Amino acid sequence: MKNFKPIVLLAALLFMITLMVPTLLVLPFGEEHASGKLGENVKGPALENPTSSIEVAVYRTSKQTVEKLPLEEYVRGVVASEMPAEFAKEALKAQALTARTYIVKQMMSDEKIKLPEDAIVADTEFFQVYKSDEELKKAWGPDYSRKIKRIEEAVQETSGQILTYEGTPIDATFFSTSNGFTENSEAIWINPLPYLKSVESPWDKSSPKFSGQKVLPIAEFESKLGVKLAGTGNIGEVTEFTAGKRVAKVDISGKEISGKDIREKLGLMSTDFTWERKGDKIVINTQGYGHGVGMSQYGANGMAEEGKKYQDIVQYYYQGVEITASDSFITTITAKK
């Protein structure tokens, strides 16, 4: 028994040491003594929004100056200018994707439109309408804070995302209101694009811009179209329709004119039109507002109100596209500078 007790005490001591060693090793690195955690204070491009590091040079037409601003700030100004702030959040987010995709594609392109002082875009409809905070405050008045908050959330929640087709940023065209269908790209522009095909858009019928009317004196109608109407009878015949149920071609007194040219020359809301003679005037009725190619804004809002997410909206109006991180494209843009 005398020899057994020291052995037991030794075994017990070793057991206690075994238990204490892990504790001694862990305690110095416990929560209360931590001086840093994984991911803290780490700086570098991998943890930053790539679009925050690049600027857009915008030609301000009214001031005739070039303004440089961060890309996401530019996107915010475009969304605020191009789509009503009251639209559903998911529609605003879809618009943010189109705006960001457009400017990334524009900055990547080697074919620049000539603008003063190396500006990439202007602030007009030919590019994308852009308004600064000062302009928005003036336009919105007391509603500015509420409206800009909605726009900012839509831009932030889609930050760094663009639309691509087979790995390339798309032509993310959009317009206000369809006639119930969007249009194939080749109906308006020369080249057909696989992601810009006609789709049904029934939500647009609730748009305040769905129906329009324009009245022109016969003499003005003839002058603008370069035609001479007969004294009586039909005012031309539609000889071809587009995939989007719009007028492709009209024969007027033996002269064939495209629906696109008629819309532009007469200043119509859409190429979906009918007309009739009333006395010495031509009354023209239209359905839809805009060129009809790509995303319908009122259609997007209708989809959002039905519970569709922005991903659903853009992939409906731009067929076969993917929502892609802009990182690699921003890197390409930066490398070109």
Side-chain angles (χ1 to χ4, degrees), residues 160-175:
Q161 298 177 10
I162 63 170
L163 299 169
T164 61
Y165 183 83
E166 295 184 347
T168 303
I170 70 167
D171 287 314
T173 59
F174 59 89
F175 62 99

Side-chain angles (χ1 to χ4, degrees), residues 280-318:
D280 62 348
K281 292 183 171 53
I282 305 295
V283 179
I284 308 169
N285 293 301
T286 57
Q287 288 194 331
Y289 183 35
H291 52 62
V293 180
M295 185 182 77
S296 161
Q297 293 175 312
Y298 274 89
N301 191 50
M303 290 184 71
E305 288 178 340
E306 288 184 357
K308 299 296 185 183
K309 300 299 183 184
Y310 75 96
Q311 298 94 331
D312 303 317
I313 295 169
V314 295
Q315 289 176 332
Y316 179 76
Y317 284 109
Y318 306 107

